[in-house]
Each structure stands twice: as C-alpha cells, then as structure tokens.
C-alpha cells in the first residue's frame, strides 16, 4: 500500500480525490489579519475580492509538521510527500521535520519528501507520476529515483493578469508595476532549475503574453507524445481552454488537462492568471 501527501498548493483533480491514495495538507492564508485554511472550505471568489480590496499583501504559512504527521499515520507502507518549491515556502522543511519525527516510532515505514521545485499543478503532476510508478509495481527506491528524474525534467510557466500582489508585497516597485499596468505589459514567468522564479519574456496584453509563453514551452519540450501537460487557472476557464487548444495545435501530447487553482496559487495569480506545467 502507498499514500501520496501533497501540500495544498498542489491541486488534486476529482479523480485523485476519489482514488484513495492521495491526501492534501492545507497551508494557511492570511489577509488583513484573517486566517483562511486552504482546504475544501476555501472560497476562491471571496478571497480574490478580499485581496483586491485590501491595501496589504496576502500572506501564507506552511503546514505544521504535526499536520503532515497526522496524514502519515496510516496503513500505507510507502509514504510520499510532495511540497511547494523549497525556494518559495517552508513547506518542504516542515515535511522533512515531520518525516524525521514520524520515523522514530515507525521504522518499518518508507517515507520520502519530494521538493517539487514547482507549485500548483507541478505538484499535481508529480503526485500522478508517483502513483503511475507505484501501480507499475516499482519498489520504493525505484519510485523515488524515477520521480526525482521526472522533477529534473519538469518545467513550470505562468502569466499573470495583474502584478498587484507582487507590488503590495514589495517584490516589485510601485513605479514598475504602474508602468507595466499602463503599457498593459504581462510578464511570462518560469521556474529555474532550483525552483525559484525568473522572467522569461513579456507581452503587450494577455493574448500576446500567452503566445510568448507557448513559444517558451515548445523551446524546452521534447517527446511531447510521452508527456502530460497540465494547465491551472484562476477564475478564467475560457482562457485556460483557449490555451489548451493552442497547445494541442502545436504538438500532440500524451494528455492535457485543466484544473482550477487552489488558495496559495490564487494569492499570487490573482483573477485571470494561468499556470502551465509540462
């Protein structure tokens, strides 16, 4: 038996929720002193409204080690944890601490923590890869090796409708944000090899920026027919579907699926942002 625990920055598809092997551990969001758990009670629409109306930047707190341990206490022999990039959150370190504590009294269990070096559906795809390997009959060690290799080859891209959260948090100067908004500039961002964020390109308007993003995707993606591509969106299903159709026109992927963003991704993507991972 196996269990896959993913922090709530990673979206679980409906099939994953029904599968029985997956569990989500919530991060905690905060806006103007109000704490919001990123679990099944999360209301995306009200959160987007609160973020837009507040002069302050939203914050997030990673799951506690105890939250991970509660999910690890199960019948599964092989337990895998997938977290938000260690460069962006303390979730990975919290999960590692939970693993060390749990193993003191559960020496017979196999536990491994994957640093996704990504976020959102990047974590989702890693969880699905773990399940694929387990269902193929691989040993625990083989699963870890195969999935770490998969993470090395994974690429994350995203385009934001607004840079307001970055401005409010001080990660972008007010002047730069104002210029970008006035000129309708949308940056195309992507993950680095270590899991941090870098700017890859920029476009005038969302349509141009998404075109730039798809170009960036195709420049680094080979053997498309063997790969699953995932798209996550924040309250813009039509935009996500349009992006899916565009990627289908560019290459034949093994599969392309779309999910709605969870809380932590919504915090930065804001209304209209899209994330693509392959």
């Amino acid at each position: 038996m196996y269990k896959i625990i993913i922090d709530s920055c990673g979206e679980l598809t409906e099939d994953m929720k029904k599968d029985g092997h997956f569990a989500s551990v919530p991060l905690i969001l905060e806006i103007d002193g109000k704490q919001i758990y990123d679990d099944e009670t999360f209301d995306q629409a009200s959160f987007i409204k609160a973020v837009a109306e507040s002069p302050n930047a939203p914050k997030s707190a990673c799951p506690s080690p105890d939250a991970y341990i509660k999910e690890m206490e199960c019948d599964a022999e092989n337990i895998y944890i997938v977290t938000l990039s260690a460069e962006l959150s303390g979730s990975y370190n919290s999960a590692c601490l939970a693993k060390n504590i749990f193993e003191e009294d559960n020496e017979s269990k196999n536990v491994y923590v994957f640093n996704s070096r990504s976020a959102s559906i990047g974590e989702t795809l890693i969880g699905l890869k773990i399940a694929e390997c387990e269902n193929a009959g691989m040993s625990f060690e083989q699963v870890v090796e195969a999935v770490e290799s998969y993470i090395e080859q994974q690429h994350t891209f995203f385009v934001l409708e607004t840079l307001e959260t970055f401005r409010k948090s001080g990660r972008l100067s007010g002047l730069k944000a104002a210029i970008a908004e006035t000129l309708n500039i949308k940056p195309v961002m992507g993950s680095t090899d270590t899991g941090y964020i870098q700017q890859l390109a920029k476009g005038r308007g969302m349509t141009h920026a998404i075109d730039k993003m798809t170009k960036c995707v195709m420049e680094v993606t080979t053997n498309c027919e063997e790969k699953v591509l995932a798209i996550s969106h924040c309250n813009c299903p039509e935009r996500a579907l349009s992006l899916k159709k565009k990627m289908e026109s560019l290459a034949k992927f093994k599969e392309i699926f779309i999910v709605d963003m969870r809380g932590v991704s919504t915090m930065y993507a804001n209304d209209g942002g899209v994330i693509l991972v392959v």
Side-chain angles (χ1 to χ4, degrees), residues 22-204:
F22 295 90
S24 177
V25 175
L27 284 89
I28 302 172
L29 310 176
E30 182 179 316
I31 181 72
D32 293 333
K34 180 182 179 181
Q35 289 192 335
I36 303 165
Y37 279 82
D38 189 13
D39 55 19
E40 294 301 322
T41 66
F42 176 73
D43 185 329
Q44 186 190 69
S46 63
F47 183 72
I48 289 173
K49 183 174 184 291
V51 170
E53 293 177 349
S54 174
N56 304 309
K59 301 176 182 179
S60 66
C62 66
S64 67
D66 185 56
Y68 280 114
I69 290 172
K70 286 180 179 178
E71 288 294 344
M72 295 163 69
E73 292 172 340
C74 60
D75 295 332
E77 296 177 0
N78 297 339
I79 301 172
Y80 308 93
I81 304 174
V82 183
T83 75
L84 178 60
S85 171
E87 293 289 344
L88 304 175
S89 168
S91 186
Y92 175 75
N93 289 334
S94 181
C96 287
L97 178 56
K99 170 185 179 295
N100 294 337
I101 294 171
F102 180 77
E103 287 180 330
E104 290 180 2
D105 297 320
N106 297 272
E107 296 180 358
S108 64
K109 300 291 182 89
N110 298 312
V111 184
Y112 191 84
V113 182
F114 290 100
N115 171 14
S116 72
R117 305 184 205 171
S118 181
S120 185
I121 41 168
E123 295 178 62
T124 307
L125 288 174
I126 293 167
L128 291 172
K129 185 65 176 180
I130 295 169
E132 177 187 304
C133 293
E134 273 281 352
N135 294 336
M138 290 185 181
S139 68
F140 178 78
E141 292 76 14
Q142 289 172 326
V143 172
V144 169
E145 183 179 358
V147 175
E148 283 289 5
S149 177
Y150 175 76
I151 292 172
E152 289 280 350
Q153 301 171 49
Q154 192 181 74
H155 298 281
T156 302
F157 307 86
F158 62 96
V159 177
L160 306 182
E161 180 67 58
T162 173
L163 299 172
E164 269 299 282
T165 297
F166 286 91
R167 181 192 64 77
K168 290 176 182 178
S169 65
R171 297 187 180 188
L172 182 71
S173 73
L175 177 61
K176 287 183 178 180
I179 292 173
E181 185 169 341
T182 300
L183 299 178
N184 197 23
I185 294 174
K186 312 296 183 185
V188 178
M189 312 295 285
S191 59
T192 66
D193 291 340
T194 59
Y196 202 63
I197 297 172
Q198 61 182 333
Q199 181 173 318
L200 302 174
K202 56 186 176 182
R204 289 288 287 273

